[in-house]
Amino acid sequence: MLSGIQPTSGSFHLGNYLGAVRQWVDLQEANDAFYMVVDLHAITVPQDPKLLRENTRVSAAQLLGAGLDPEHCTLFVQSHVPEHAQLGWVMNCLTGFGEAARMTQFKDKSAKQGADSTTVGLFTYPILQIADILLYQADAVPVGEDQRQHVEITRDVAERFNTRYSPTFTVPKPYILKETAKIQDLQDPAVKMSKSASSPKGLVSLLDEPKVSAKKFKSAVTDTGTVVSYDEEEKPGVSNLLRIHSALSGQSVEQLVAHFEGKMYGALKTELAELFTEWVTPFQERTRTFLDDPAELDRVLAVGAEKARAVASQTLETVYDRIGFLPAA
Ligand code: AQP
């Protein structure tokens, strides 16, 4: 398993947690799992240096607070393992320009930023991600739906390398849970909850005061009508709330629809706000414990980087050999 998350703002949002991080926690014991804070990806858009450093620690603390256990997985910071950038270059040389230009996330983000503000790094971001995944010979990549296309291009490039040189890379599959693959914005249920695109009221940040988030659930945009039922087309707002409730409570959507029969949307929102508060309060406490001890946090990340490098350097050595680089004497 391999996956990563950007330290682009202090707090993860609920989409990051339900779409990805929760699966990382669930998968860590039964798998050889590598999880990282992807700071190289973060600088594809401008970052304040002091804040980036701080947010990298805050991200790692949240991953531990969410339940990652360094005894069961390898947790590290991407820039601590230089092989990512090194294999990234090789992957740049194996990926077609047109192929990279078809990535919808790049198209969306660059259209918003404008050509002069869009960096080449943002364009090659999915190619660095190819290297991230292949370095660890990952079978599966637990991510949200927005990353599916990036895992698909990874498969294509891995197969290309294996055909051109010789079988070298495991061809990975996306690991995407349908129910939580796309958590929607609470104010605009037509779009995904996102740090860069959501309005503050549509985004549930995990480190906000629980009271603030509870208010956001209570003022979530729902739909005309009053009956709580699951219908992604006609009732995207209510359906999103039902999916979040289901993920946090463990009850199926069918059970929830039966439970809310005869009740109004307000009942669903209030219950969801309570459920979220119950989950997020201990999450924040655990995260704070790790943040209060930066030396220990740095130690955990150093151990993780060492473990990651042991694997990554072997893969890179094999790749350099296969493509014909002269070994350093
Ligand atoms: N709304 C979402 N629903 C389900 N999964 C989601 N992910 C992100 N948004 C949702 C998943 O979270 C993981 C980390 O993603 P990232 O590193 O791209 O984090 P991000 O930059 O914080 O994601 P955003 O909010 O979507 O950022 P912007 O607005 O910059 O694009 C990934 O597995 C992702 O699928």
Side-chain angles (χ1 to χ4, degrees):
M1 294 280 160
L2 178 285
S3 200
I5 187 156
Q6 298 194 66
T8 37
S9 83
S11 177
F12 296 160
H13 60 71
L14 189 58
N16 295 141
Y17 176 67
L18 293 180
V21 175
R22 206 165 74 137
Q23 280 66 263
W24 302 7
V25 175
D26 291 346
L27 294 164
Q28 64 180 336
E29 282 196 38
N31 296 278
D32 193 7
F34 292 81
Y35 301 127
M36 55 181 178
V37 180
V38 290
D39 51 354
L40 297 181
H41 288 283
I43 63 162
T44 52
V45 293
Q47 300 290 338
D48 174 80
K50 190 166 171 275
L51 218 54
L52 177 61
R53 202 165 291 133
E54 195 176 306
N55 287 342
T56 301
R57 279 212 185 94
V58 174
S59 298
Q62 286 174 93
L63 291 174
L64 294 165
L68 287 191
D69 178 351
E71 296 291 319
H72 291 299
C73 69
T74 302
L75 173 64
F76 63 102
V77 174
Q78 190 184 25
S79 65
H80 294 177
V81 181
E83 285 81 1
H84 287 261
Q86 290 173 290
L87 187 65
W89 176 254
V90 176
M91 294 301 141
N92 269 314
C93 299
L94 274 152
T95 308
F97 186 87
E99 197 176 21
R102 282 194 289 277
M103 296 298 108
T104 54
Q105 201 177 72
F106 171 75
K107 286 199 261 187
D108 292 348
K109 288 192 176 179
S110 59
K112 275 186 208 144
Q113 291 174 7
D116 287 342
S117 309
T118 300
T119 64
V120 175
L122 189 71
F123 183 69
T124 59
Y125 170 121
I127 307 174
L128 178 58
Q129 200 170 311
I130 296 174
D132 297 339
I133 298 167
L134 298 186
L135 271 177
Y136 301 94
Q137 305 288 5
D139 296 295
V141 188
V143 284
E145 183 61 39
D146 59 336
Q147 292 293 333
R148 185 186 292 279
Q149 198 186 24
H150 294 165
V151 183
E152 294 300 336
I153 195 178
T154 305
R155 292 174 58 80
D156 294 343
V157 174
E159 278 165 359
R160 188 170 308 147
F161 189 100
N162 289 348
T163 308
R164 191 174 299 175
Y165 298 102
S166 62
T168 304
F169 292 122
T170 304
V171 179
K173 289 195 183 73
Y175 180 96
I176 299 175
L177 291 191
K178 193 170 154 273
E179 299 75 18
T180 49
K182 197 171 174 192
I183 300 300
Q184 310 291 63
D185 183 306
L186 295 189
Q187 287 299 311
D188 181 1
V191 301
K192 71 159 195 165
M193 191 179 284
S194 141
K195 265 184 261 172
S196 60
S198 290
S199 69
K201 280 180 78 187
L203 181 79
V204 178
S205 292
L206 302 188
L207 295 181
D208 274 355
E209 271 288 311
K211 262 191 262 169
V212 172
S213 300
K215 216 167 154 189
K216 291 182 188 177
F217 282 115
K218 288 181 185 164
S219 58
V221 164
T222 36
D223 319 280
T224 51
T226 50
V227 179
V228 176
S229 61
Y230 193 83
D231 184 334
E232 286 181 21
E233 293 297 312
E234 299 297 324
K235 289 175 178 268
V238 172
S239 300
N240 189 37
L241 297 181
L242 281 169
R243 277 187 283 116
I244 297 172
H245 189 312
S246 169
L248 291 174
S249 67
Q251 296 180 65
S252 69
V253 166
E254 293 73 30
Q255 284 171 325
L256 291 175
V257 169
H259 168 70
F260 286 108
E261 199 181 330
K263 297 183 187 151
M264 311 281 271
Y265 292 157
L268 168 61
K269 292 180 184 180
T270 304
E271 206 174 294
L272 187 49
E274 286 166 6
L275 204 56
F276 177 77
T277 305
E278 267 168 43
W279 172 77
V280 87
T281 306
F283 161 81
Q284 291 186 355
E285 278 163 15
R286 288 191 300 268
T287 300
R288 219 168 291 126
T289 312
F290 292 108
L291 281 174
D292 285 346
D293 192 351
E296 172 59 11
L297 190 58
D298 290 352
R299 190 196 64 79
V300 166
L301 294 173
V303 171
E306 200 179 329
K307 278 164 71 187
R309 279 204 83 176
V311 179
S313 59
Q314 270 190 13
T315 308
L316 189 72
E317 198 181 308
T318 307
V319 169
Y320 274 15
D321 178 58
R322 302 255 154 104
I323 57 184
F325 286 168
L326 182 67

